[in-house]
Structures are given as C-alpha cells and as structure tokens.
Amino acid sequence: MENLLDNLNKQQREAVEHTEGPLLILAGAGSGKTRVLTYRIAYLINEKNVYPSNILAITFTNKAAKEMKERVQSLLEGSYDMWVSTFHAACARILRTQVEKLDGYKKNFIIFDTDDQVKVIKECLKELNYNEKNFPPKEMLSSISKTKDQLMTPGRFMDRYGRDFRLKKVADIYSLYQKKLMANNALDFDDILFKTVELFQNNPDVLQYYQNKFKYIMVDEYQDTNYCQYMLVNLLAKSHRNLCVVGDDDQCIYSWRGADIGNILNFEKDFPDAKVIKLEQNYRSTQTILDAANSVIDRNFGRKSKRLWTENGEGKPIVYYKAMDERDEGDFIIGEIDRLAFQEHRDLKSFAILYRTNSQSRVIEEMCMARGIPYKIVGGHRFYDRMEVKDVIAYLRAIQDPDGDLSIKRIINVPKRGIGKATLDLLEAYARDTGNSLYEALLFVDSIDGIGKKAKNSIKDFVRLIAELMDVAEKESASAVINEVIMRSGYLEVLEKGDDEDQERGKNIKELISAALEYEEKNEDSSLQGFLENMALMSDIDGLKEEREGITMMTLHSAKGLEFPVVFICGLEEGLFPTQRAFFDEHQLEEERRLMYVGVTRAREKLYLSSAFERTIYGSSSYTMESRFLREIPKDLMIKM
DNA sequence: TCAGAACCTCTTTTT
DNA sequence: GAGGTTCTGA
C-alpha cells in the first residue's frame, strides 16, 4: 500500500488519506478521480481496517460500478463484499428486503421502464377522460418525474398546486398513475429512490440500521445528483458523517433531467467542516486542448474556479474545418481518420466522433459503410428496450405475477392468436366491474357476454400456456424459462418465418437466453426475479460483450467519462450546438457550454472541430452560423483546414 | 382484425 | 426525411 500511495500526486494522496468526516473532491476532467476513489476504498480497507461491508460507493452507471469494483479488487488482490453500485441498484437492493414496510407493495415488485410508464399514463388519461393533446403523456411523465425528484407525493402535490385548474388535473393523473403502478406491484425508476427515502423517513430503525452499516460513503459524479438522491445521501451519512463526494461542477450536463448543480456548489454550506480538495492536474490531454477547454468554460458564471494544467506538453494545434454541408463534413472526418490510421498507424479504436444530436450520425454512418470502415454507435437503444425483448420480459413478469395487468395486456395477443382490441375491451371492462385483475377475468371468460367462440378458445389456450409456464418457472432457472416461453408461445417460430427484420428479432430473443445464462453464472441468486431486476437496471448489454474494432460515434452526453486519442466534434453551429432552445436561457446556454467543455476534454492528443455552411435538418436545408463556442477558443490554438 | 394511409413530431439519457 | 403512432376502411 505504501508504494501505492506513491502513485498519486499530492492532492490525490490527500484525498485518499482524509477518511474521516465530510470531504469534497473537485475533480477536473482527466484528473484521475476514479483512481482516487478506488485507492481510497483500498486504503480504507487495508490501512484503516474498515470492513468492506461498511462501505457504500455510488456511481453514475452500472459500467462505472463494475469497473470500480474490479479495480479495487485487483488493488487488494481479493474479492470484497462492499456495495459499489448505482443509486438505483443500491435502493432496489434495500427495497427488496424492506418493501413490505411500504403500504401496498409485495416483495416481488417489478421495475417499470419508460415504455411501461407511457402505457400506464395513457391508460390514466383514458380513464380520466383527459385528452392526450392537452396532456401529452411524455410531458405528464416528466412532470411526475420532477415531482418525485422533489419528494412530493400525489397528496402533497395536490395540496400545493390543486387550486390551479390544469395542475389539479395533473395531480389527478399523478395520483391515478401511482395507483396503477401499485396494482401492477411495480415501481418506476424514480419510485425506487423516492420510496427508499420514504422508507427511511418513516422507519427510523431501518434508517439507523443502514446508517450503521454504511460508515463510509462515497458518491461519484455528485454534480449530477438530484434532490432525492441528495436526501438519500444525507440521510445515510447523518450519523457517521464520513461522506466523500466527487464531482466537477463544470461537467454538470444533466440538469434537464433533474440534476441539481447546487448540490455540489453548496456542499460546503451543508457541511461547514468539509475538507475541500481540488484536483487540477490533468493526465489526459495536451496543454493546447486544456487551454481551449479552460477558455471556453471560463465564460460560465458561478462556478468553482478551477484551472486544468498538465505536464504533457503543448501538443498539436486544434484543427477546424468549415464544410460546405454535412456530407462534406463527414467526408472530411472520415478522410482524416483514414489518413491518420495509415500515416500514424493508429488503431480505429483511437477515434471518436462526437455530436450534439443522434440524427447527425446518419450521414457519417453512410460514409463509413460506403468506404468499408468499421464503426460502432454508442447509446441509442438499449437491448432491453427492443420490442421483442420486452415482449419476452412481459411473459416472464406475467409468469411471476399474473395479476400484473400491463404484462398480460402486452402479451395476450403476441404472437397473434386472435384476441383483438374488441375482446380485450370486454375483458378489461369485466375486470374493472368485478374488481379482479385482467388475468382473473381470463379465467372467467365463459361468463363474459359478447366474446366470440374463437376468441374464447384462444383465451383458454393462453391461460393454459401461462399456467404451464408458471409450472416450469417453479422448477427451472431463468434461462430455461425463457427458452420455454419462446418455444411454447410460438413467438420464436413466428419471428423465424418472418422477414429479415423479424429474423433479427428472433436472434435477439435467443440472445436473451445467453444473457440469462451469463447472469446465472455470475450471481448466486439465479431466480427469475433477480434476473428481471438486473435487466431493468441494466443499460446496454451489447456494450458489455462486444469490443469490436472500429471508430466510435456518440453524442457528447454519452462521451462523459470517456477518452480518446483523437476526437472530432462536429456540427458546431448556432442552433445545433448550442441548441436553439438555449438561446434565450442563460442557464441552458451555460449547460451547453459545459457540454462543449466535456467534449473538448475527451481528447488526449488531437482535437478536430467542424461545422457545415449549409445543413439539412428535418428534411429542409438552411444556411448556418458558426457556433459561438468556436469563437470562445483562442485563435492561436487553432488552425483552419 | 388488420394492413396501409395519413399524420405528427423531431435535444440530450441513465436508471 | 424518417420513424413512430393513430386512423380508416375493407
């Protein structure tokens, strides 16, 4: 361990050795904060003899959690039982054992994702007779999400806003939405956090237990926490006060989804005795790149002053290319990559193309394809979000708890078995009238008038199928159950007989079996329940296995936390980056600027910037103006090509 | 019940 | 301009 500390600079070492009491680490981009966190955990265990089980480390993504755990374990050469996970995974784990203390929830609760949420909201609107035009489901969901971030129950929301004509209706929607979630024994992503806070607030003994368990708490990416997460951390850290938060206010780019930059800016107010350590030495980029980044971010107000520096040397100037249009821009980027790969013998993995919006990737993708250059696109759709995967998941949920109406509804006619909307409406009406679940209505299908003979037989077959699958689930592992589901339901067969797209889908649901097998290997708890939770909280499984050779394309947001030797930031035009929506809002503009800062600091050696003179967006093309961010970089750092 | 037509929308995204 | 959703008619 002694020589491990030698691997750190003065500030880093200070951060590792300051183990007692509140600590704020302001870690600039590329300043080795992950290193500090992992060493700190190792130091706690090895030097301070802290039990690993007394440590809680919160990360932003599952991937980061996995990496951190692996790095600690390789530092200590052993396997340790500490909690290193995302907020959601940690809370889900707590709720798994404690959820019955919350009224109305059963232990085998399921986790609803955005897709499920939209469906529930639509049901709510229908039931309340509210128009989707006046109350757009997505808008409703984001209101509800923000409300939950603020720890506001439907009751509290109604108390506060109920006198407003429209907000009263939103409150009704929120209230019904929660009822429906409960009826499905489901929690959405926000609930997982919110309910944990409620659990702690209403059960002092439970809170005390976890306060005692987590004597040392670390939170990464603290600038991107929301109010609910802030509360959670503060509740847990209250008794031991060994709270270490790490973050960079200049990299707060998620305020649009509730991240409150104030959490990090006010940490010293919350904890007046907090030790503050700034990590400003950068180990990633050239001085030229850092000068550009510093110069851009300097224009933001109200930030903690920080100035990145490096011993890496000046490096190459930044290259700016003004293209005719987006095709020319793509041509230039791919041309440069081709040239550098050849002349400088660079791996395709060294290149990243970053853009503000996903739609910008299309043109560049086409060019890569035309030239036969391999590429991969990060982000976009999760494996779990694919229609066919969600269908199979719905089967699994239904098997686990057939009273979850949403799951039954999703699969009752997948694959097509002649149970259409008319039939479903009758079944739902019956269920509502008798106070039963949809599944129970299926059992009584004979006593429902108006359903045709054919449909009735299909329903009986379906009920039999579910019953059989439930039997299988009693005895078999998750992977075996999935196999039975896709075989017995006939779903796989239908897909395999379909067009290319369907065949691809068939492959995906088979892939789900591999995912389950992998899960069973890695986890002691190989139950269906555990697998479902894992899937719901997992972001992108494809990312985990495939490390294909190729250039990387992604949004600036997705690039946070990553680094590449050569980075291209494209589409530097007013209205695109910064986005038009930020023009009249200083806060939004500052967030765009932080996004630029994040993008620039991803580059190790070379940075390319580009814009197009003319760009086609939404089918219509128009002339553009160069992004103000280009002007915010000193001219002497940049050459035009 | 379902396929095709018309229609709408369109920043960023993790969990 | 594309992709997703809803509507309409057979």
Side-chain angles (χ1 to χ4, degrees):
Chain A
M1 199 67 197
E2 189 110 349
N3 42 9
L4 283 182
L5 281 179
D6 291 345
N7 292 335
L8 305 171
N9 68 31
K10 183 169 161 285
Q11 290 77 18
Q12 291 176 330
R13 198 177 316 146
E14 228 183 317
V16 168
E17 287 177 325
H18 184 91
T19 56
E20 312 303 307
L23 170 66
L24 166 63
I25 305 174
L26 288 165
S31 62
K33 85 183 159 145
T34 313
R35 193 185 186 82
V36 168
L37 276 175
T38 48
Y39 276 61
R40 198 168 182 278
I41 296 174
Y43 183 81
L44 281 170
I45 295 172
N46 241 16
E47 300 293 307
K48 296 281 168 170
N49 296 316
V50 172
Y51 288 121
S53 59
N54 286 148
I55 297 174
L56 171 67
I58 298 290
T59 58
F60 198 58
T61 63
N62 286 303
K63 192 172 155 232
K66 193 174 156 236
E67 276 169 17
M68 186 171 296
K69 202 159 188 177
E70 281 168 2
R71 282 169 75 167
V72 171
Q73 301 196 332
S74 83
L75 273 181
L76 295 176
E77 292 165 0
S79 161
Y80 293 86
D81 138 59
M82 61 228 161
W83 285 38
V84 183
S85 69
T86 61
F87 273 109
H88 288 84
C91 289
R93 191 167 164 189
I94 292 170
L95 288 180
R96 201 49 83 191
T97 59
Q98 309 284 339
V99 75
E100 282 155 310
K101 296 204 170 69
L102 300 169
D103 266 350
Y105 277 96
K106 294 179 282 177
K107 206 155 71 209
N108 61 345
F109 67 86
I110 53 177
I111 298 168
F112 270 4
D113 66 13
T114 321
D115 211 67
D116 303 317
Q117 290 177 283
V118 171
K119 286 193 172 150
V120 175
I121 282 288
K122 286 187 174 170
E123 282 183 3
C124 293
L125 293 173
K126 217 188 215 166
E127 240 165 81
L128 293 168
N129 254 321
Y130 295 161
N131 192 319
E132 275 189 32
K133 291 244 154 43
N134 297 332
F135 299 90
K138 276 199 190 130
E139 226 171 86
M140 294 301 106
L141 273 178
S142 96
S143 299
I144 290 174
S145 176
K146 285 200 178 110
T147 307
K148 287 181 178 174
D149 278 358
Q150 296 298 317
L151 303 177
M152 240 190 280
T153 57
R156 266 177 255 163
F157 186 87
M158 183 62 94
D159 286 344
R160 183 174 298 186
Y161 300 112
R163 271 163 301 165
D164 179 287
F165 180 73
R166 183 182 153 82
L167 288 178
K168 186 195 165 296
K169 293 189 168 178
V170 176
D172 288 339
I173 296 170
Y174 178 22
S175 170
L176 183 59
Y177 171 81
Q178 287 308 117
K179 274 188 203 134
K180 282 191 179 282
L181 285 195
M182 198 182 275
N184 279 284
N185 196 28
L187 299 172
D188 66 20
F189 289 129
D190 301 310
D191 282 336
I192 294 173
L193 308 183
F194 185 9
K195 296 281 180 194
T196 307
V197 172
E198 277 192 336
L199 171 81
F200 287 160
Q201 287 175 334
N202 300 334
N203 301 271
D205 54 317
V206 177
L207 175 59
Q208 205 183 3
Y209 170 82
Y210 284 102
Q211 283 177 334
N212 252 328
K213 173 166 173 54
F214 300 127
K215 293 191 170 71
Y216 293 87
I217 300 174
M218 274 156 273
V219 184
D220 194 9
E221 306 282 12
Y222 194 65
Q223 77 280 355
D224 282 321
T225 51
N226 62 29
Y227 179 68
C228 177
Q229 292 167 332
Y230 166 89
M231 273 306 284
L232 211 48
V233 169
N234 278 273
L235 282 169
L236 282 172
K238 215 172 197 164
S239 73
H240 287 275
R241 302 185 88 252
N242 296 322
L243 172 62
C244 163
V245 302
V246 189
D248 179 0
D249 48 316
D250 290 334
Q251 292 188 64
C252 174
I253 55 174
Y254 285 111
S255 67
W256 50 274
R257 64 175 205 219
D260 184 355
I261 197 170
N263 289 346
I264 193 163
L265 295 177
N266 296 327
F267 188 79
E268 291 160 85
K269 276 188 204 137
D270 294 332
F271 297 92
D273 56 331
K275 166 119 184 141
V276 181
I277 296 174
K278 282 185 193 175
L279 304 179
E280 293 172 300
Q281 180 174 4
N282 172 293
Y283 294 92
R284 178 187 295 155
S285 312
T286 65
Q287 190 63 50
T288 298
I289 289 166
L290 296 183
D291 285 347
N294 283 328
S295 163
V296 168
I297 202 67
D298 246 358
R299 282 158 169 86
N300 274 7
F301 290 97
R303 48 186 285 267
K304 302 253 174 193
S305 80
K306 247 185 289 96
R307 192 144 197 100
L308 295 177
W309 63 278
T310 183
E311 289 174 349
N312 286 349
E314 193 180 337
K316 295 273 188 303
I318 294 163
V319 175
Y320 170 52
Y321 180 72
K322 180 157 187 169
M324 285 302 299
D325 53 27
E326 62 269 19
R327 299 199 66 81
D328 183 30
E329 183 183 46
D331 230 13
F332 168 75
I333 292 171
I334 300 304
E336 276 300 287
I337 291 176
D338 217 13
R339 187 178 71 80
L340 292 176
F342 179 72
Q343 285 180 0
E344 300 180 2
H345 311 286
R346 286 180 191 271
D347 220 81
L348 286 181
K349 270 194 213 137
S350 337
F351 301 98
I353 305 174
L354 310 182
Y355 34 77
R356 179 65 238 266
T357 66
N358 281 306
S359 59
Q360 287 170 261
S361 71
R362 215 194 78 242
V363 176
I364 305 172
E365 262 184 274
E366 282 168 7
M367 284 183 173
C368 287
M369 277 194 274
R371 294 222 203 174
I373 296 176
Y375 65 91
K376 56 188 168 196
I377 294 201
V378 177
H381 276 277
R382 305 191 305 165
F383 179 72
Y384 176 77
D385 283 338
R386 288 171 207 211
M387 180 189 84
E388 63 278 14
V389 175
K390 294 217 64 187
D391 287 338
V392 176
I393 299 274
Y395 267 100
L396 301 179
R397 286 176 172 179
I399 294 164
Q400 210 195 206
D401 179 8
D403 292 328
D405 289 357
L406 204 74
S407 309
I408 293 285
K409 224 169 132 176
R410 181 174 185 113
I411 56 170
I412 192 164
N413 203 26
V414 174
K416 299 237 152 51
R417 34 174 90 88
I419 306 172
K421 190 170 175 302
T423 308
L424 189 59
D425 283 346
L426 286 168
L427 288 163
E428 280 191 292
Y430 180 86
R432 202 171 316 128
D433 294 345
T434 56
N436 284 317
S437 70
L438 188 57
Y439 181 71
E440 284 164 327
L442 297 181
L443 299 174
F444 297 124
V445 65
D446 277 329
S447 45
I448 304 175
D449 296 329
I451 298 180
K453 190 133 195 261
K454 241 164 95 188
K456 275 191 179 167
N457 282 333
S458 292
I459 289 169
K460 285 177 188 162
D461 286 345
F462 177 71
V463 168
R464 210 169 300 132
L465 173 69
I466 295 296
E468 282 171 20
L469 290 170
M470 282 161 98
D471 258 4
V472 176
E474 297 258 303
K475 308 177 201 97
E476 305 281 345
S477 63
S479 58
V481 179
I482 297 171
N483 189 47
E484 292 298 311
V485 165
I486 65 178
M487 299 307 286
R488 292 201 198 189
S489 65
Y491 193 28
L492 183 62
E493 199 186 336
V494 170
L495 291 178
E496 282 180 336
K497 275 193 208 143
D499 56 19
D500 288 359
E501 211 185 327
D502 277 350
Q503 301 206 358
E504 194 57 38
R505 295 199 162 121
K507 281 186 202 144
N508 285 335
I509 60 174
K510 280 200 238 163
E511 184 62 41
L512 197 55
I513 300 178
S514 321
L517 280 171
E518 201 181 315
Y519 172 81
E520 285 159 17
E521 250 168 55
K522 281 197 194 132
N523 295 279
E524 285 167 37
D525 164 31
S526 67
S527 66
L528 196 52
Q529 154 101 31
F531 175 66
L532 284 176
E533 179 172 309
N534 186 265
M535 287 295 289
L537 296 178
M538 185 71 89
S539 60
D540 199 349
I541 329 189
D542 335 44
L544 284 180
K545 47 182 206 336
E546 262 184 303
E547 263 310 325
R548 244 188 14 245
E549 169 79 353
I551 60 183
T552 307
M553 296 184 214
M554 65 187 131
T555 61
L556 288 143
H557 282 91
S558 309
K560 197 177 76 165
L562 306 178
E563 59 175 47
F564 299 89
V566 184
V567 168
F568 294 81
I569 302 177
C570 61
L572 277 151
E573 296 142 33
E574 286 291 296
L576 182 60
F577 187 30
T579 174
Q580 186 151 21
R581 291 161 200 249
F583 283 177
F584 305 103
D585 180 343
E586 195 55 37
H587 292 288
Q588 261 192 290
L589 194 62
E590 294 213 344
E591 181 141 321
E592 294 288 302
R593 191 173 282 116
R594 290 193 288 270
L595 197 53
M596 179 69 181
Y597 173 80
V598 167
V600 169
T601 51
R602 297 311 95 194
R604 293 181 72 99
E605 299 167 38
K606 290 190 172 175
L607 177 64
Y608 286 84
L609 306 173
S610 61
S611 68
F613 178 68
E614 186 183 0
R615 183 178 297 272
T616 310
I617 300 177
Y618 304 144
S620 61
S621 122
S622 53
Y623 296 120
T624 66
M625 267 167 54
E626 286 181 0
S627 168
R628 67 192 75 191
F629 299 147
L630 286 166
R631 271 176 282 139
E632 293 174 1
I633 296 174
K635 282 209 170 58
D636 55 313
L637 302 177
M638 209 154 50
I639 52 169
K640 282 199 172 190
M641 264 183 95

